[in-house]
Structures are given as C-alpha cells and as structure tokens.
C-alpha cells in the first residue's frame, strides 16, 4: 500500500487547486467593485443563485467528519449512520418551508440578531459568545484536525504541515467573503462528488475482485451478503451501536432535534440563504436536499466496503491505532489503494470538502463576531469597511486558534463523527427549544429563553453524568437505558438524552412564559404572515419527490 502521492496525483491535485483559486480570484475581482458593504461581504446579499446556495450548503456541511468520521461509522455500524444524511433531506424541506420565510421576512442576517429581535440583547449576547466558542473549539478544530490526519495519511506529509497548509488555503478563500465562498463551493462540490463517487466505485470493485467477481453491482451484492448486519437503518437493542443510534427514536426522537437545530438554527448553514430572496433560497435548499440523498453513497458505502475486506483479513495493520482498530482509518486506507491519478482526484475531493467547510465555518465566526459582538460592544459606530476588516482579522485569529487547539482535543480517540455530535448535542436541545417557541408561540418570553439556553446546557451535563451517580438499570424495561458494551454500566442513548432535555426545556419555557405573562410581561414579536409559508408549485413537486425517495430508502433497508 502506497502512503504517498505519485506525480500524476500531484498533477490532478494541482489542477484542482488552480481551478478553485483562479475562479475564486476571478469572482473576487469581478464582484469587488459592485459593493463593499458588510452585508454583501458576509452574506453575498442578492448575488448567489439557487444552485450556488445549494452547492455551498453541501460543501459547508460535508467535510472531514463525513468523509473520515462517517465512513468510520459505516465501518463500525453500517448503513444506519446514513440516517443523519437522509433525514437531513427531509429536514431541509421543513427549514425551507417554515424557518427561512421567518428569517427573510424579519430581515434576519445572523442568529444572535434573531434572538435580539425576538427576545432581548442579553439572550443574543450570551448565545453569540456560546456559538463562537462552539464553532471554534469544537467545529473548526475538529474539521481541521480530522482533515489534516486524512491528508497526512494519504500523502505522507507531516500532520503539522498538512494542518498549516489546509488552514492557509481556507483563509485565502474566506477572506474573499461569502461571494467567493459561495461560487468556489460550486467547484468544490463538483470535485467532492466526482472524487467521492470514484472512491466508492473503486471500493465496490475491490470487494468484487477480492471474491473473484467483477463490477460494482456484484461488489455491492457481495457486501450485503458478507456484512448483512451492516445494511439496516434501524438498530435493535442488542446491537452494540444502539447507544449511538437507539432504534426507532432516530425517526421519532432526538434525530429531529439534531437536524432541525443544525439546518435551521445554525449561522454556519442558514447564512447561505439569508442573503437571497425567498424563492431562490428555497430552490437552493431543495437542491441541497437532493444532494443529501447522494451523500451516503459517497461517505458510508466505502466504510462498509473497508469493513468487508478487513473482516476477510485485508489491511489489518493499517486499521490499527494504539493496539485497537480505529474505524476512522477506513477511508484513508481505501484511498491508498487507488491507482495513480484517481487517487489524486479522490485526494482533491477530500481536500475540497475540508477547505470548503473550514471556509464556511470561519466566515460564520467572522459574521457573528463582527456584527453581533464588535459592533454592539466595542464600536457601535463602526463603518461597513471597518466591520469587513474586523471580519477578516477574526478569520485569521480563529484559524490560528484552531491550529493551536486541535491536536489537544483527543478527537481521534472518540471517533470524529461521534465527537462532533456529542459535544454539539450539549447545547442543541436548549437552542432548538428557544428557536421553535420563539418562532411559533408569541407568548414566549426572554426569561424562558434564558432558561433554555443555560438550563438546557446544565441538563445535558446532568444526563451525561447520571450513570456515574446512579444505577439506571431500572430504566431498562422502558427501553431508555441499556448497558454500555465496554463498561457494562447502564446509560441513556445520546439521542434519547437530547430528547429528554428538549422536552424539559419546552415545559420549563412554557411555565416561565405563562408566569411572566401574568406579571404583565409583553414579549417582543416577529413579523409573520401565514401566506409566506406557502411554497411555489415546483418546490412542492421537488419536496414530494425527496420525501418519497427517503421513505423508499428506509423501507428497503429497514
């Protein structure tokens, strides 16, 4: 197995780099004279097309945690991990119909701005700081570190050098603003999908050839036979991965909170659509939903293919780390099996995913800091030019912090995808409760929002620590507690914990709001017109197709 890139690989990668960098510069200089306003820089106001919005959503979402982490989860637990992707397709439809119209109607450009308008400045500032810490310490660092590990293992270049190179590449793109990010993401997605499909094709072919067959269809059939337990979307309680994906609750419980919070209440994601008109934003989100259906083919099937071959004795040493099998090695191992040239294409796809995601995250960090913290706290009279410069400085500082912090987080020990899901899950239930009641219940007060913000985080920690304080075996008969296969201690599955915290936050917010209402507190309102929730005909047809496809996939792989 060759842990290096050949001349052909470097040529392919260089072509990718030149195309992305060249196109980015062309967009930057072409658009530079049109507007230099802060909203234009951070949001590319009115200049992104629906296909640019959709591509940018996926490019920002799909990164090392999917290519490396989700492929690793495919190796470990199988197709069930694809529920994050396929349920996201449905979630995007919900966001396009009910969330985006509220943001656009009320001229919302950042999530803290929404909280300020709906609740008050205290709630907005707390969450602005909260989001910045989460984005830098968890998201930016994990994307950078996982990406650097993958690039290093494929190219043979040192981990530190890979981390610096990726960070610099991402900064260069980010400094051009959302216009450059949005339009270069179109190319990034092209390489991401093309290279990802090439890797999947080769992985299925390798399985087929290993067992004396030929062709990807036979390879897929062999995978379903050799690893039949890896082709179920709904895991049974006896499955060792049940704690990560607890059966039917992925369809009716915490998975909805994960996805709705991520796609509907996340600056990093919604920022792509906030600068467009409603029809363009909806079409872009619908396009992203269709692309989401494709993602498990690119990021999950290779992991299962690696599992099948590993199970039959291949690359045993390559999958090991610290004396144990590390599932996150599955995708890099497969890439190292690819022939020259094609390996460079897949390497470019992985790099594109990492760089695009880093650029999008860094831009969101800069947007929140510049518009919601710097302008409100440090310089209320700051000009647009000053805000743009502060945003650029924030990008550089955030990336430097990520480079410094990333190696010390122990991401590789937990598994990349689970690391991100677990630590964002500490704040997701409270944030989503605060948003959902803020959207659709006019009586929700700022005190209730503060309870969800702070109380939700504290409750998440309490539920996480419960097994250390009490024996939860009495909950086993209810299905909400199972023994950890490693420790034997009864734990509440991660997604179920999120569901419990969300329910408590909702109940607490309702009680607090009703008490505040009786005291004469009048909550701030939003402009809501029910007619704005009605999508156009083409969108409805597309949404129906997405829903039918997701239903069919779950029916086939139940």
């Amino acid at each position: 197995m060759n842990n290096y890139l050949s001349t052909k690989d470097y040529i392919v990668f260089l072509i990718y780099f030149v195309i992305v960098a060249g196109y980015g510069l062309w967009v930057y200089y072409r658009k530079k004279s049109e507007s230099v306003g802060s909203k234009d820089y951070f949001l590319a106001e009115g200049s992104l097309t629906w296909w640019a919005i959709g591509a940018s959503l996926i490019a920002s979402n799909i990164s090392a945690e999917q290519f490396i982490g989700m492929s690793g989860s495919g190796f470990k637990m199988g197709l069930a991990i694809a529920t994050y992707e396929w349920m996201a397709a449905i979630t995007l439809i919900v966001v396009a119909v009910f969330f985006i119209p509220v943001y656009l109607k009320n001229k919302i450009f950042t999530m803290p701005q929404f909280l300020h308008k709906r609740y008050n400045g205290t709630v907005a500032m707390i969450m602005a700081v909260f989001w910045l810490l989460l984005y830098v310490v968890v998201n930016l660092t994990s994307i950078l570190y996982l990406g650097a590990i993958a690039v290093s293992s494929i190219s043979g270049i040192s981990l530190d050098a890979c981390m610096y190179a990726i960070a610099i590449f991402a900064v260069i793109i980010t400094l051009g603003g959302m216009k450059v990010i949005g339009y270069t993401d179109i190319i990034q997605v092209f390489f991401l999908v093309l290279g990802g499909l090439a890797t999947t094709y080769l992985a299925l072919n390798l399985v087929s050839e290993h067992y004396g067959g030929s062709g990807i269809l036979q390879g897929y059939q062999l995978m379903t036979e050799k690893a039949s337990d890896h082709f179920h979307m709904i895991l049974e309680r006896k499955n060792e991965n049940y704690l990560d994906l607890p059966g039917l609750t992925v369809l009716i419980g915490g998975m909805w909170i994960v996805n709705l919070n991520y796609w509907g209440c996340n600056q990093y994601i919604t920022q792509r659509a906030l600068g467009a008109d409603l029809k363009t934003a909806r079409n872009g989100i619908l396009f992203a939903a269709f692309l989401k259906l494709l993602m498990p083919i690119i990021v999950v099937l290779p992991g299962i293919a690696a599992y099948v071959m590993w199970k039959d004795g291949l690359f045993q040493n390559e999958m090991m780390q610290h004396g144990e099998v590390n599932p996150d090695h599955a995708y890099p191992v497969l890439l190292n099996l690819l022939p020259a040239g094609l390996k460079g294409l897949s390497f470019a796809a992985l790099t594109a995913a990492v760089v695009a995601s880093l650029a999008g995250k860094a831009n969101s960090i800069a947007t929140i800091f510049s518009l919601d913290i710097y302008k409100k706290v440090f310089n209320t009279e700051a000009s647009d030019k000053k805000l743009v410069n502060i945003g650029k400085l924030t990008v550089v500082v955030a990336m430097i912090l990520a480079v410094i912090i990333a190696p010390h987080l122990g991401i590789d020990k937990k598994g990349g995808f689970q690391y991100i899901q677990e630590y964002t899950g500490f704040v997701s239930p409270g944030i989503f409760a605060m948003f959902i009641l803020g959207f659709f219940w006019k009586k929700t007060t700022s005190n209730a929002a503060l309870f969800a913000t702070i109380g939700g985080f504290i409750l998440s920690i309490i539920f996480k620590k419960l097994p250390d304080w009490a024996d939860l075996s009495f909950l086993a008969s209810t299905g909400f507690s199972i023994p950890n296969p490693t420790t034997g201690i009864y734990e509440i599955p991660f997604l179920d914990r999120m569901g419990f915290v969300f329910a408590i936050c909702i109940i607490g917010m309702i009680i607090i709001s009703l008490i505040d209402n009786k005291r004469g507190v009048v909550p701030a309102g939003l402009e809501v017109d029910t007619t704005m929730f009605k999508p156009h005909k083409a969108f409805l047809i597309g949404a129906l197709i997405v829903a039918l496809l997701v239903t069919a996939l779950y029916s086939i792989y139940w």
Side-chain angles (χ1 to χ4, degrees), residues 459-529:
L459 284 168
S460 294
I461 294 175
I462 291 173
F463 274 97
K464 172 68 175 175
K465 294 294 184 181
L466 266 182
D468 296 335
W469 304 331
D471 181 5
L472 302 181
S473 59
F474 71 95
L475 289 174
S477 60
T478 67
F480 289 121
S481 176
I482 66 168
N484 186 307
T486 303
T487 64
I489 298 174
Y490 277 81
E491 296 180 15
I492 300 173
F494 156 67
L495 290 173
D496 289 343
R497 293 202 316 259
M498 289 183 65
F500 294 151
V501 173
F502 174 73
I504 294 171
C505 285
I506 289 289
I507 293 170
M509 288 183 71
I510 291 174
I511 293 172
I512 293 170
S513 295
L514 291 176
I515 293 173
D516 284 342
N517 296 157
K518 284 185 178 180
R519 292 175 176 172
V521 176
V522 180
L526 295 171
E527 290 186 44
V528 178
D529 179 359

Side-chain angles (χ1 to χ4, degrees), residues 56-187:
S56 190
L57 280 168
I58 295 302
S60 298
N61 167 243
I62 300 298
S63 186
E65 71 264 30
Q66 271 77 21
F67 271 102
I68 307 304
M70 193 170 278
S71 287
S73 295
F75 180 98
K76 184 179 180 227
M77 66 181 71
L79 193 62
I81 196 66
T83 195
Y84 278 96
E85 303 299 302
W86 287 338
M87 281 194 67
I90 297 293
T91 303
L92 281 163
I93 302 300
V94 175
V95 169
V97 174
F98 296 106
F99 286 46
I100 293 298
V102 176
Y103 291 140
L104 296 182
K105 179 77 172 179
N106 291 274
K107 295 179 172 57
I108 301 298
F109 301 113
T110 70
M111 296 301 98
Q113 182 191 353
F114 166 82
L115 297 177
H116 188 279
K117 191 166 188 174
R118 178 58 182 84
Y119 296 115
N120 59 31
T122 302
V123 174
M125 188 57 63
I126 289 173
M127 286 310 303
V129 174
F130 220 27
W131 270 313
L132 281 181
L133 290 173
L134 181 68
Y135 287 171
V136 174
V137 176
V138 177
N139 298 100
L140 202 66
T141 50
S142 59
I143 293 168
L144 180 62
Y145 192 55
L146 285 171
I149 287 175
V151 170
S152 176
S153 64
I154 296 164
S155 64
I157 301 171
S158 72
L159 178 63
D160 287 343
C162 290
M163 201 180 305
Y164 300 148
I166 291 171
I168 292 170
F169 192 3
V171 166
I172 291 171
I173 291 177
T174 312
L175 292 180
M178 183 52 73
K179 284 178 181 175
V180 173
I181 293 172
Y183 282 105
T184 54
D185 278 350
I186 299 166
I187 301 176

Side-chain angles (χ1 to χ4, degrees), residues 75 203-204 207 223 300-310 315 334:
F75 180 98
L204 295 178
V207 172
M223 283 166 56
V300 180
L301 285 186
I304 301 176
Y307 171 77
V308 171
M309 290 186 282
W310 169 82
F315 40 80
L334 281 177

Side-chain angles (χ1 to χ4, degrees), residues 232-285:
H232 295 287
M233 292 299 297
I234 306 300
L235 303 182
E236 298 179 358
R237 280 173 56 81
K238 63 182 179 181
N239 192 298
E240 65 176 358
N241 299 299
Y242 189 85
L243 279 170
D244 293 315
L245 293 172
L248 283 174
T249 54
V250 301
L251 295 179
I252 59 177
M255 186 62 73
W256 284 103
I257 300 170
V258 172
N259 274 301
L260 285 170
N261 177 71
Y262 180 84
W263 293 103
C265 312
N266 186 349
Q267 180 72 29
Y268 175 43
I269 295 300
T270 55
Q271 187 165 336
R272 272 101 191 109
L274 295 184
D277 61 82
L278 182 56
K279 185 177 180 181
T280 302
R282 276 180 168 159
N283 287 341
I285 293 172

Side-chain angles (χ1 to χ4, degrees), residues 236-493:
E236 298 179 358
R237 280 173 56 81
K238 63 182 179 181
N239 192 298
E240 65 176 358
N241 299 299
Y242 189 85
L243 279 170
D244 293 315
L245 293 172
L248 283 174
T249 54
V250 301
L251 295 179
I252 59 177
M255 186 62 73
W256 284 103
I257 300 170
V258 172
N259 274 301
L260 285 170
N261 177 71
Y262 180 84
W263 293 103
C265 312
N266 186 349
Q267 180 72 29
Y268 175 43
I269 295 300
T270 55
Q271 187 165 336
R272 272 101 191 109
L274 295 184
D277 61 82
L278 182 56
K279 185 177 180 181
T280 302
R282 276 180 168 159
N283 287 341
I285 293 172
L286 179 63
F287 179 45
F290 276 104
L291 290 176
K292 263 297 178 186
L293 297 177
L294 184 66
M295 287 304 113
I297 298 174
I298 294 174
V299 298
V300 180
L301 285 186
I304 301 176
Y307 171 77
V308 171
M309 290 186 282
W310 169 82
K311 189 179 176 183
D312 205 40
L314 272 69
F315 40 80
Q316 296 290 309
N317 293 332
E318 289 80 1
M319 291 299 302
M320 300 297 289
Q321 181 176 349
H322 305 310
E324 298 179 352
V325 174
N326 186 337
D328 283 350
H329 285 190
Y331 201 83
V333 163
L334 281 177
L335 289 193
N336 282 322
L337 293 173
L338 298 179
L342 196 54
K343 183 178 178 180
L345 179 61
S346 297
F347 181 61
L350 177 60
T351 306
V354 175
V355 170
S357 194
L358 281 174
K361 183 65 73 178
N363 184 264
S364 294
I365 290 169
T367 303
I368 290 177
F369 180 79
S370 302
L371 301 183
D372 296 301
I373 296 180
Y374 181 80
K375 187 172 177 61
K376 286 185 168 56
V377 176
F378 299 104
N379 188 353
T380 56
E381 302 298 323
S383 64
D384 275 2
K385 184 177 181 180
K386 180 70 173 179
L387 290 174
V388 169
N389 289 333
I390 289 296
K392 291 179 178 180
L393 178 62
T394 304
V395 167
V396 175
V397 172
M399 203 66 73
I400 291 173
L401 288 173
V403 170
I404 294 171
I405 297 171
H408 306 290
L409 290 179
I411 297 170
D412 54 322
K413 296 176 183 178
K414 293 188 67 66
F417 194 73
Q418 279 69 32
Y419 172 88
I420 294 172
Q421 300 309 316
E422 178 170 351
Y423 284 97
T424 54
F426 277 92
V427 297
S428 297
I431 292 174
F432 183 55
M434 177 172 53
F435 269 79
I436 202 72
L437 286 186
F439 274 135
F440 303 113
W441 193 44
K442 294 181 179 180
K443 294 182 179 181
T444 312
T445 63
S446 57
N447 286 331
L450 281 172
F451 167 76
T453 302
I454 301 171
F457 179 68
I458 294 173
L459 284 168
S460 294
I461 294 175
I462 291 173
F463 274 97
K464 172 68 175 175
K465 294 294 184 181
L466 266 182
D468 296 335
W469 304 331
D471 181 5
L472 302 181
S473 59
F474 71 95
L475 289 174
S477 60
T478 67
F480 289 121
S481 176
I482 66 168
N484 186 307
T486 303
T487 64
I489 298 174
Y490 277 81
E491 296 180 15
I492 300 173

